[in-house]
Every structure is written in C-alpha cells, then in structure tokens.
Amino acid sequence: MDLSLFYFADEARGGGHKDRYRLLLEGARFADTHGFSAVWTPERHFHPFGGNYPNPAVTGAAVATVTERVQIRAGSVVAPLHHVLRIAEDWAVVDNLSGGRVGISLASGWNPEDFILGPGRFGDRSRTVLDHIDTLRSLWRGEPFTDPQAVDAEGPRIHPLPVQSQIPLWLTTAGNPDTFRAAGRARVGVLTHLASQGMDELAERITQYRKEFTFASGGTGTGHVVLMLHAFLGADQAAIEREVREPLENYLISALNLFNPQGGGARGASGHRARLAVRSALQRYLHQGCALLGTTDRAEEVVRECERIGVDEIACLIDFGVPTDRVLHGLTHLAELRARVAWGMS
C-alpha cells in the first residue's frame, strides 16, 4: 500500500497570497524526503472550492522544482476542456523539469459552466476522455498527431520530448461502475473517492476493474487503484476529531455549494440547512472508516480495510481547512502510518 498527498483546498479558507501555496510546497518537500509515492493537484475552475488549482501542470511544475523523488500527478486534468496536444506539451515540460516523474488522471468534467473553456464539448465529454488516452500515449512516444479532419498530412509532434517513454495514466471517477470497467479496458489506473460510494460498493467496482484490466492486458497486469481520503492524524483520537470537525464541515459545505450555488454558505438559515445536509457525510468521515482522521492506530485499521478490498494507494487529502502549521506538524504521524503499512508493522 502506497500513501501519497492530495490537495484540493477551498480557496476562501486558504489564507492570503503569501501563504496560499505554502502547504503545497512544504508538504511536497516532506513527501519527497519521507517516502510518499506522489503529490496530486487537481484542475478546478470558477469556484472557491478547489480554486487554488486551475492548472495542475503549473502547480506540478512548482512541485518539480522543490522535490527530487516523489511522483507529480494531476488529479485531475479535465480532458474535454483542452486540446490533447496542449495537455501533452504541458506535461512533457513538467516531466523534463522533474526528471521523469509525472502522471495524469483524466476526468470528463461535470459542471457545464467549466465548458466555457471547451465550447460545444460538454455532451461528448465522456467519449473525449477515452479518445485522449491512446492519443496521449502516442504523442508521448514522439509520434505525430493525427487529425481526423486532415487528409494525407502528418501532424505535429510535441516538444520537448518527455523523459519517460510511457505516460502513467488514470481515469477519475466518483464511483460510476462503467468508468471502472472503461479504465480496465483502456489499461489505465483509477482515481476515486468515497463521497458517493461505500467500501462494499468500491470493492465490487475494483473487482470489475481488475477483471477488465487483466483481460485487456493479456494477463500481464492488474492495474492501479488510488483512493482519495481526508487525512489528519495526531496522538489523541477525541482531540483530533474536535479539531477537524468544524473545518471539515465547512469544507463539505463549500463542496455542496458547487451543486447548489444559491445555498447561502455557512451562515444563516441556508447555512443551517447546509450543515444538516452534510451531517451524514461528516459522520461517515469521522466515525465510519471513510477517512484517516485520528490516531495512527485508527488510521491503520482503515488502511488495512482499503488494502483488503484491493486499493493500491491512498491519496491523503490534507488541505481541507485545518491551519497550515497544524497540518505540517501532523505529517509526521502520516509518515509513521506510511512506514507501518509499507513494512507490515503494527
């Protein structure tokens, strides 16, 4: 089981510009020197939730300059918003800056407002993601771009050429079984979370994914499943739960307002309704094994359950509103957890 760091901050609670990316960069340095497998940053547009991260290639380039070993991954690139050549070029630069450490999870997108960046592509977004997989692979190998509308003309090749000969790819899904199966058939990994699925459902989907991947690869591979979990560890379970409850609740409300922009935020009558709406999710994260929140011993139980159902890597979402200094201090406990699960300790 690998552990990585995942970032998806609510910009409204991220502090001033001087502190906005301190957790990203200092956390990346910590991950680099303590054996974490990767640092993930997302692509988000036009909303405070995730608003620090409109372009994971830019944040990935920043991480590349302050690290030496840790993988640098997009979680995710919203593929239909960009020409595939643009994606390949941007990430080839980051691959060179990092000495060959990048990986990309591709997402279809879901918010119509984001598609001002990709006019007319919303309806075909799921097909576009799958089409990008083979094209990215060929561009990464230095092959020319094939424009289906061009006639007898060799298309452009990307520059600079990447360091890696093959590009590591995942598909992002909130839990759609069809996406798990499609990822298996395409021989790419899966990046997912527990916001809209439970452990039992995830276990079934991982089984379906492994079956498709094994068949598509001729039995030579089983794929790679990454599960994003909120994470903040310390020495006292009750104290940690008290510390994370309010920031996590506010974070979940901000996420809820993505789907309900008129929700009114965290105050007033609408704020009260929003808090009621996220209460069950808060309980799942705090008490039902759907997050790494508490002591290292409690977190290890969750990790072992994830391992049992077939998860390969847990991406620890650390920037959900706890103050930066406290999160950085808590990374030592995450490092202890990583050492335990890496070496079979208990």
Side-chain angles (χ1 to χ4, degrees):
M1 175 68 72
D2 289 327
L3 262 63
S4 55
L5 298 186
F6 199 101
Y7 292 83
F8 211 117
D10 179 359
E11 181 204 11
R13 303 179 186 279
H17 70 278
K18 292 183 179 180
D19 200 48
R20 190 179 303 279
Y21 296 103
R22 184 164 74 91
L23 180 56
L24 170 65
L25 297 179
E26 293 190 26
R29 292 188 186 99
F30 186 94
D32 195 51
T33 57
H34 288 79
F36 287 77
S37 60
V39 173
W40 299 81
T41 55
E43 177 180 349
R44 286 288 308 124
H45 299 287
F46 316 131
H47 194 279
F49 188 72
N52 287 342
Y53 301 102
N55 187 337
V58 173
T59 48
V63 170
T65 64
V66 299
T67 58
E68 296 178 355
R69 291 169 292 276
V70 71
Q71 297 290 304
I72 300 164
R73 298 180 187 157
S76 310
V77 169
V78 184
L81 301 184
H82 313 284
H83 196 289
V84 66
L85 281 166
R86 177 83 271 177
I87 298 172
E89 279 191 333
D90 286 350
W91 284 94
V93 171
V94 185
D95 203 49
N96 277 268
L97 286 170
S98 65
R101 292 185 280 132
V102 306
I104 303 173
S105 191
L106 299 171
S108 61
W110 60 271
N111 189 345
E113 292 184 2
D114 292 353
F115 281 76
I116 191 173
L117 300 174
R121 301 177 194 165
F122 185 77
D124 292 333
R125 63 193 185 280
S126 295
R127 180 184 58 80
T128 300
V129 173
L130 297 177
D131 289 345
H132 272 19
I133 291 172
D134 286 338
T135 307
L136 276 172
R137 283 171 168 159
S138 66
L139 290 171
W140 205 259
R141 292 190 297 264
E143 297 172 10
F145 174 69
T146 302
D147 187 341
Q149 297 180 349
V151 179
D152 297 329
E154 184 176 281
R157 304 170 193 262
I158 64 166
H159 297 279
L161 288 176
V163 175
Q164 298 178 97
S165 60
Q166 297 182 17
I167 182 170
L169 294 173
W170 289 258
L171 282 184
T172 301
T173 176
N176 187 331
D178 291 338
T179 306
F180 277 84
R181 289 190 288 267
R185 290 191 293 270
R187 295 173 290 110
V188 299
V190 170
L191 171 64
T192 191
H193 54 71
L194 294 177
S196 54
Q197 61 185 333
M199 284 286 195
D200 291 342
E201 294 169 305
L202 177 57
E204 294 176 3
R205 290 158 189 170
I206 291 175
T207 298
Q208 295 168 359
Y209 164 71
R210 301 288 190 200
K211 181 179 178 180
E212 295 286 356
F213 194 106
T214 301
F215 180 80
S217 65
T220 61
T222 59
H224 189 261
V225 176
V226 182
L227 176 63
M228 187 277 289
L229 296 178
H230 297 75
F232 181 64
L233 302 183
D236 183 273
Q237 184 69 34
I240 291 296
E241 290 181 7
R242 288 193 298 270
E243 186 169 5
V244 303
R245 179 177 290 274
E246 182 176 356
L248 181 57
E249 185 175 64
N250 290 334
Y251 186 80
L252 294 173
I253 289 171
S254 182
L256 181 68
N257 286 339
L258 279 171
F259 300 92
N260 180 23
Q262 307 305 317
R267 298 183 179 181
S270 58
H272 177 67
R273 288 194 295 271
R275 293 189 185 279
L276 290 176
V278 304
R279 183 169 296 173
S280 62
L282 190 65
Q283 291 301 110
R284 290 179 67 235
Y285 293 138
L286 289 176
H287 304 301
Q288 297 176 22
C290 294
L292 305 178
L293 300 172
T295 65
T296 306
D297 288 343
R298 179 71 68 84
E300 186 179 1
E301 295 175 5
V302 177
V303 172
R304 297 304 182 193
E305 176 62 13
C306 293
E307 191 174 41
R308 184 190 67 80
I309 68 171
V311 173
D312 298 296
E313 174 183 328
I314 293 177
C316 303
L317 194 160
I318 61 173
D319 62 340
F320 57 89
V322 176
T324 293
D325 287 336
R326 290 289 297 132
V327 176
L328 290 171
H329 177 75
L331 290 180
T332 58
H333 297 279
L334 265 183
E336 178 188 346
L337 176 65
R338 193 210 67 81
R340 286 190 188 188
V341 300
W343 296 102
M345 299 166 61
S346 62

